[in-house]
């Protein structure tokens, strides 16, 4: 089935996720998700179906165990449109979005989250599936590379949008750690990155400020 959520606040009271879609379609517009907490993947939002987020804010997601992946976890089809943002209090060891399915970033902003010294994950996006960026911004993340593409057949195609102002030099350990390469994008073995448009600028790392491979 299909569910539409418009103009509301979902407060999980730091007890569970705000939104969980196991199948079907969810369209959310002008939504605030606050207080997300979960001891598995997807601290605030978990999607295994089809989800579109527009004008959606995520606030006050809890910091949890180092193995729990993403404030938003997607194993289905996720599209983020204009106005979607998270604030720095929505914090995860594995960054904002952890994607194993198909993730389309068309607008909005992913910002303020860090990999928190866990070298396995990107600060804003970790993708072992397909990540398509045609708009929006990924900015001001700290910890690891802003976008990490990892795993066999993982792919990132950028045709628009901006990746800027990210800092991959604040992880613990040697400055030659692989997590410190690619302040904007880090592509690990098995992954691919195609850039046909957009801008990557103003990022910081010890090795490859824009893109590391």
């Amino acid at each position: 089935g299909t569910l539409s959520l418009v103009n509301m606040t979902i407060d999980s009271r730091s007890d569970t996720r705000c939104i969980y879609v196991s199948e079907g379609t969810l369209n959310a517009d002008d939504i605030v998700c606050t207080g997300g907490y979960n001891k598995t993947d997807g601290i605030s939002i978990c999607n295994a179906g089809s989800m579109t987020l527009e004008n959606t804010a995520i606030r006050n997601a809890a910091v949890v165990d180092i193995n729990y992946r993403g404030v938003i976890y997607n194993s289905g089809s996720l599209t983020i449109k204009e106005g979607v943002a998270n604030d720095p209090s929505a914090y995860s060891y594995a960054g904002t979005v952890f994607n194993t399915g198909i993730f389309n970033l068309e607008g909005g902003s992913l910002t303020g989250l860090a990999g928190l010294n866990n070298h396995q994950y990107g600060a804003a996006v970790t993708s072992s599936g397909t990540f398509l960026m045609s708009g929006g911004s990924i900015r001001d993340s700290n910890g690891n590379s802003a976008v990490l593409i990892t795993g066999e057949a993982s792919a990132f195609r950028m045709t628009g949008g901006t990746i800027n102002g990210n800092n991959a030099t604040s992880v613990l350990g040697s400055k030659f750690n692989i997590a410190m390469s690619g302040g904007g994008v880090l592509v690990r073995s098995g992954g691919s990155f195609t850039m046909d448009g957009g801008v990557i600028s103003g990022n910081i790392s010890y090795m490859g400020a824009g893109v590391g491979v």
Side-chain angles (χ1 to χ4, degrees):
T2 299
L3 173 66
S4 295
L5 303 175
V6 180
N7 189 24
M8 66 178 65
T9 296
I10 302 173
D11 186 352
S12 72
R13 301 182 183 275
S14 299
D15 186 55
T16 187
R17 295 185 183 104
C18 293
I19 298 174
Y20 176 65
V21 176
S22 61
E23 58 183 26
T25 300
L26 172 70
N27 299 310
D29 188 358
D30 195 18
I31 299 294
V32 175
C33 295
T34 186
Y37 177 83
N38 189 63
K39 288 189 174 182
T40 56
D41 298 330
I43 297 167
S44 186
I45 296 173
C46 185
N47 175 54
S50 177
M51 179 181 291
T52 299
L53 300 177
E54 188 166 5
N55 300 311
T56 297
I58 299 173
R59 299 174 181 164
N60 302 314
V63 179
V64 292
D65 187 273
I66 200 165
N67 294 313
Y68 304 151
R69 301 180 293 182
V71 173
I72 301 172
Y73 181 86
N74 175 60
S75 60
S77 176
L78 170 66
T79 299
I80 290 181
K81 295 189 174 184
E82 288 299 328
V84 174
N86 51 275
D87 68 20
S89 63
Y91 202 93
S92 166
Y93 285 91
T96 311
V97 177
F98 194 99
N99 174 57
T100 61
I102 299 173
F103 172 37
N104 292 281
L105 181 60
E106 298 179 359
S109 174
L110 301 179
T111 184
L113 299 188
L116 202 63
N117 303 317
N118 186 338
H119 303 160
Q120 302 177 65
Y121 305 123
V125 177
T126 301
S127 181
S128 59
T130 298
F131 175 28
L132 306 171
M133 183 175 180
S134 59
S137 66
I138 297 172
R139 60 183 178 84
D140 300 334
S141 62
N142 288 279
N144 300 344
S145 303
V147 177
L148 174 63
I149 306 302
T150 181
E152 292 299 323
S154 58
F156 175 26
R157 183 174 182 183
M158 184 177 183
T159 59
T162 61
I163 300 175
N164 68 288
N166 302 287
N167 186 346
T169 65
S170 58
V171 293
L172 295 175
S174 166
K175 68 180 181 180
F176 299 109
N177 190 293
I178 185 130
M180 295 182 180
S181 25
V185 179
L186 176 59
V187 184
R188 286 189 168 175
S189 178
S192 68
F193 174 40
T194 302
M195 185 175 179
D196 295 324
V199 176
I200 299 175
S201 67
N203 303 288
I204 301 171
S205 73
Y206 288 115
M207 299 176 286
V211 178
V213 178

